[in-house]
Amino acid sequence: MAIGQKLSTVAKVVAILEQHGAMEHTIVVVAGAEESAALQFLAPYAGCAMGEEVMENGVMIGGQLVKDSLCVYDDLSKHAWAYREMSLLLRRPPGREAYPGDVFYVHSRLLERAARMSNANGGGSLTALPIIETQAGDISAYIPTNVISITDGQIFLETDLFNAGQRPALNIGISVSRVGSAAQTKAMKKVAAPLKLDLAQYRSLAAFAQFASDLDKATRDQLTRGEKLSEVIKQPQYQPVPLERQVAILYIATKGLLDDIPTPRVKEFEIQFTNFLDTQRSDVMKKLSATKVLDDDTAAALEAAANEFRSTFLA
C-alpha cells in the first residue's frame, strides 16, 4: 500500500514495483497537489483501511492466503499541511507553527492502527512506514518530533551525505530503533555494534578535522577507519547482499584489515574478497549462513582468509 502527494513520486514507485513484479499486489492511493486539502487529508485513511482489510481477512496470492500488509505514508508532512489548511479555513485556533493543537493525535490515531494480530484472533499484520520531509534537515521541528515519538524509531537520510556519494545517505548518529539489536542475528549484532560507534565518531571528527592542521595519530587512525567503513556500507541499488557476505566484510573492516587499502579500491577489495570466500572458503560462508552466529572459530577463519587474500591483493 502506498499513498502519495506528488504524481511524479508515485509514478516512480509504480515503475519500480512493476519492474519487480509486485504491482499486482500493490494498491496506490494518490492525493495529488492539485486535490483539495480535504482529499489530501483523507487519502492515508483510505490506504490504511485497505491495509486493515488485508490484515483481518487476507488476500489470495499465488494460491496462498496472505494476511500481512505494509502501508507507506508518503508523506505525513504534506498530510499535516493539509490538516492545517483545513483547520485554519474553519477558523480553528492555530498552535505551534500554526498547526492545530490536535495534529499529534491525528497522526497517532493513524499510525497506531498498525498492529500484529495474535493467532487466537486470526493472525495478520499491518505495518506502517511513515515518511516525513524535513525543512533544511531540521529533525527537531514539530511534525518530525511528533511522528518520531509515535513510531519505533527513525531512519534519517541526509542530503549532504547523498550529494557526497554516500548511498544510502544514512545519518548513523540520528537514526535509532527501539527494537534495536533484538531484530538482528547474533552474527550481525556482533559486527554492527562497533560499526555504528566508529561511523558516528568518524562523522563528528571529519567535521572537526577540516579546521585542524595537525592531528594526532589516534585521530588520523579513526578518520582512516571511518573512511573505509563508509566505503564498505555503500550499496548499489537493487543489489541485496546475503547476510554471510555482510558479516564477513563488516567484520574485517571493523577489525582494521581494510585500513591500509586505498579508499578508491575498497569496493574492488570487497567484491574480490567475498568471491574468494565463496570459492576458496565456502565452508566458512555456509556455516555463517546456517548458524547466523559469528563464533571465535569462524572469526579466526575470516581473519586468516582476509590476511591470505590481502597478500595477493596488495602485491
Side-chain angles (χ1 to χ4, degrees), residues 78-269:
K78 301 291 193 306
H79 183 245
W81 294 359
Y83 185 60
R84 174 170 60 184
E85 182 179 344
M86 289 168 49
S87 299
L88 292 177
L89 287 172
L90 293 171
R91 298 187 181 278
R92 295 181 60 190
R96 178 179 166 187
E97 298 181 24
Y99 290 104
D102 63 341
V103 68
F104 172 82
Y105 299 100
V106 167
H107 284 160
S108 66
R109 282 193 295 267
L110 175 65
L111 296 175
E112 288 172 7
R113 289 165 69 174
R116 173 171 290 280
M117 307 287 281
S118 65
N119 291 332
N121 290 307
S125 68
L126 170 61
T127 301
L129 179 59
I131 298 174
I132 296 292
E133 179 186 4
T134 59
Q135 301 295 306
D138 183 14
I139 198 173
S140 63
Y142 189 31
I143 300 303
T145 51
N146 274 351
V147 175
I148 286 170
S149 66
I150 300 167
T151 57
D152 292 324
Q154 75 269 359
I155 297 174
F156 186 72
L157 302 176
E158 200 167 326
T159 306
D160 291 343
L161 289 176
F162 184 87
N163 293 335
Q166 186 67 45
R167 319 273 173 88
L170 182 65
N171 185 310
I172 296 292
I174 297 178
S175 302
V176 297
S177 171
R178 292 179 192 169
V179 178
S181 59
Q184 293 177 326
T185 63
K186 291 183 179 179
M188 183 57 70
K189 189 186 302 186
K190 186 171 182 177
V191 298
L195 172 69
K196 181 172 182 179
L197 180 61
D198 287 342
L199 282 175
Q201 290 177 340
Y202 166 67
R203 297 273 160 77
S204 60
L205 282 175
F208 168 76
Q210 293 177 348
F211 306 100
S213 56
D214 188 21
L215 300 174
D216 60 274
K217 184 180 183 303
T219 303
R220 290 198 305 271
D221 290 346
Q222 207 162 20
L223 287 170
T224 300
R225 177 74 53 82
E227 189 176 303
K228 310 306 178 187
L229 288 174
S230 296
E231 284 297 314
V232 163
I233 63 174
K234 290 179 181 178
Q235 184 175 354
Q237 200 171 20
Y238 310 134
Q239 294 184 25
V241 181
L243 173 69
E244 60 273 16
R245 283 192 168 204
Q246 294 181 45
V247 171
I249 193 64
L250 290 178
Y251 178 74
I252 68 166
T254 54
K255 284 296 182 179
L257 296 177
L258 297 182
D259 289 358
D260 57 345
I261 303 295
T263 301
R265 299 192 67 193
V266 167
K267 294 307 290 184
E268 178 189 351
F269 179 94

Side-chain angles (χ1 to χ4, degrees), residues 40-107:
Q40 292 185 39
F41 174 73
L42 291 174
Y45 296 98
C48 186
M50 296 174 193
E52 287 178 325
E53 171 67 18
V54 175
M55 175 179 68
E56 294 174 5
N57 298 317
V59 61
M60 296 301 295
I61 298 178
Q64 184 177 2
L65 183 66
V66 175
K67 301 184 72 175
D68 299 307
S69 58
L70 168 67
C71 201
V72 182
Y73 302 103
D74 180 16
D75 62 284
L76 288 189
S77 55
K78 301 291 193 306
H79 183 245
W81 294 359
Y83 185 60
R84 174 170 60 184
E85 182 179 344
M86 289 168 49
S87 299
L88 292 177
L89 287 172
L90 293 171
R91 298 187 181 278
R92 295 181 60 190
R96 178 179 166 187
E97 298 181 24
Y99 290 104
D102 63 341
V103 68
F104 172 82
Y105 299 100
V106 167
H107 284 160

